[in-house]
């Protein structure tokens, strides 16, 4: 057992020894109190909060700008999870360095829910090109997939807390109406961009589902996980594509260092073409409370508006080349 494993085991064992029996092994009656939920990313926390509004107390481990691919749980994070009634995470290896923590939780009977691993999504998952048998975890970039995640989350909590099943159903139905409107908005915005300009170059390969759903060719400097660093060859490869096809804008991400995209820009400039930095997209994390991407719905709108505005701003230059 590694040192980290030993620490996690001790923390979980200590807390679970003092806590009340968990919902899965004793069918705890939540009719008279809220369910304590710890979510990993603030994107997942936002979803759970909407589905369980009025019934769930939700705490997010990761705040704005935090990269879940690289996030390491502290002893304090483990304690929060061990004291929760339910731990909710994205899954599909998004929180790659926390896999061991989730195993520790499940091993001691603490309920966990991986929202992106529901069977309703299996046929729509995008397979990783580098890791056979693994899938792209960034399902929220296709709003229709996030609708399925919302409904699956509703079913989970309705089963856990059947007395309030109608509350979860009503919350989710209202949320899905908003998600459907957001999906239509993204489609409309995407269609305003000429097909030749629908090329999205970003810091890492997080926008694959967005591309498939809304008609964009997507190119990430890094792979699906930011744990796989981009090398000089990757920078030159993307730069060659951008320069040869005269892609007007590239985008950085709020939770990924901009250094990679800046390096691509310099390499493009060395090839005699000037590419713009079109703005910051929210990839693996929502923005802060004062940002225009503090919720999933506002993040969806911010991202597509940023992409479309940047690409259309330069369409005259591109059309003349």
């Amino acid at each position: 057992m590694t040192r980290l494993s030993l620490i996690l085991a001790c923390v979980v064992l200590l807390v679970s020894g003092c806590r009340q029996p968990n919902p899965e092994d004793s069918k705890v009656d939540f009719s008279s109190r809220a369910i304590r939920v710890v979510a990993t990313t603030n994107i997942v926390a936002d979803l759970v909060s909407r589905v369980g509004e009025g019934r769930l107390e939700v705490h997010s481990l990761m705040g704005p700008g935090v990269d879940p691919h690289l996030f390491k749980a502290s002893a304090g994070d483990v304690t929060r999870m061990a004291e929760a009634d339910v731990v909710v995470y994205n899954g599909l290896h998004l929180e790659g360095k926390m896999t061991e923590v989730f195993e520790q939780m499940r091993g001691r009977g603490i309920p966990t829910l991986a929202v992106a691993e529901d069977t309703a999504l299996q046929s729509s998952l995008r397979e990783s090109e580098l890791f056979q048998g693994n899938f792209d975890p960034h399902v929220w970039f296709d709003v229709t997939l996030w609708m399925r995640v919302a409904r699956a989350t509703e079913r989970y909590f309705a089963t856990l807390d059947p007395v309030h099943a109608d509350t979860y159903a009503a919350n989710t139905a209202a949320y899905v109406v908003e998600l459907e409107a957001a999906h239509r908005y993204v489609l409309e915005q995407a269609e305003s961009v000429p097909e030749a300009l629908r090329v999205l170059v970003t810091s890492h390969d997080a926008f694959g589902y967005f591309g498939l759903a809304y008609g964009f060719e997507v190119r990430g400097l890094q792979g699906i996980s930011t744990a796989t660093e981009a090398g000089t060859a990757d920078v030159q490869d993307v730069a060659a594509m951008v320069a040869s096809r005269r892609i007007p804008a590239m985008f950085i991400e709020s939770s990924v260092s901009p250094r990679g995209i800046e390096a691509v820009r310099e390499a493009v400039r060395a090839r005699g073409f000037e590419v713009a930095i079109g703005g910051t997209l929210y990839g693996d994390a929502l923005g802060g409370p004062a940002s225009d991407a503090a919720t999933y719905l506002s993040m969806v709108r911010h991202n597509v508006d940023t992409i479309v505005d940047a690409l259309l701003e330069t369409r005259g230059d591109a059309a003349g080349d």
Side-chain angles (χ1 to χ4, degrees):
M1 180 178 288
T2 66
R3 182 173 180 273
L4 175 60
S5 298
L6 184 59
I7 293 172
L8 295 179
C10 291
V11 171
V12 175
L13 183 60
L14 176 63
V15 176
S16 60
C18 301
R19 72 199 300 274
Q20 293 298 312
N22 73 70
E24 291 188 348
D25 63 22
S26 63
K27 305 300 181 184
V28 170
D29 181 7
F30 290 110
S31 59
S32 61
R33 71 169 178 88
I35 300 174
R36 298 183 299 270
V37 177
V38 170
T40 51
T41 72
N42 54 8
I43 296 175
V44 171
D46 179 78
L47 169 81
V48 175
S49 295
R50 288 299 304 265
V51 170
E53 186 174 359
R55 287 296 309 138
L56 307 181
E57 294 178 357
V58 183
H59 173 82
S60 176
L61 295 180
M62 305 180 206
V66 175
D67 184 348
H69 299 285
L70 303 178
F71 182 81
K72 295 180 180 179
S74 67
D77 295 326
V78 175
T79 298
R80 289 187 189 93
M81 286 185 276
E83 290 176 340
D85 294 311
V86 182
V87 174
V88 184
Y89 62 107
N90 187 85
L92 299 178
H93 303 288
L94 178 74
E95 306 93 340
K97 293 183 178 297
M98 294 184 69
T99 301
E100 199 171 2
V101 179
F102 301 138
E103 291 174 355
Q104 292 280 356
M105 295 294 158
R106 286 190 293 269
R108 286 162 176 78
I110 299 168
T112 64
L113 170 65
V115 295
E117 295 180 6
D118 187 80
T119 54
L121 271 70
Q122 286 183 357
S123 62
S124 301
L125 293 178
R126 176 174 173 254
E127 191 161 2
S128 168
E129 295 180 0
L130 296 178
F131 303 103
Q132 192 69 26
N134 290 333
F135 298 94
D136 183 349
H138 305 88
V139 296
W140 59 88
F141 284 115
D142 178 344
V143 182
T144 64
L145 295 184
W146 209 234
M147 291 181 209
R148 296 190 213 172
V149 170
R151 293 188 178 103
T153 304
E154 175 210 338
R155 290 193 296 271
Y156 178 88
F157 283 102
T159 300
L160 190 67
D161 181 22
V163 172
H164 298 97
D166 289 347
T167 297
Y168 301 114
N171 289 345
T172 304
Y175 189 38
V176 167
V177 169
E178 295 180 60
L179 291 171
E180 288 172 341
H183 173 63
R184 290 193 298 271
Y185 179 79
V186 179
L187 284 173
E188 291 167 1
Q189 289 294 94
E191 288 171 0
S192 72
V193 180
E195 189 172 347
L197 289 180
R198 292 183 204 163
V199 182
L200 179 59
V201 181
T202 61
S203 299
H204 86 297
D205 190 14
F207 289 81
Y209 291 105
F210 176 88
L212 291 172
Y214 305 112
F216 281 78
E217 178 184 345
V218 176
R219 182 70 177 268
L221 176 59
Q222 293 175 258
I224 287 175
S225 171
T226 56
T228 304
E229 296 185 3
T232 302
D234 299 307
V235 170
Q236 294 300 326
D237 187 37
V238 174
M241 183 274 291
V242 170
S244 65
R245 297 177 59 179
R246 305 185 78 77
I247 306 300
M250 305 184 298
F251 302 86
I252 60 177
E253 298 176 41
S254 65
S255 57
V256 181
S257 171
R259 290 194 300 271
I261 288 296
E262 290 168 353
V264 173
R265 190 183 192 190
E266 289 301 317
V268 171
R269 184 177 289 132
R271 287 171 165 78
F273 179 66
E274 191 67 37
V275 59
I277 300 298
T280 299
L281 304 180
Y282 292 90
D284 290 340
L286 302 179
S291 74
D292 63 350
T295 68
Y296 171 77
L297 288 169
S298 61
M299 178 194 73
V300 167
R301 182 176 288 267
H302 167 92
N303 281 348
V304 72
D305 286 348
T306 299
I307 293 166
V308 170
D309 289 349
L311 295 178
L312 291 184
E313 187 175 316
T314 53
R315 64 177 166 178
D317 296 337
D321 291 326

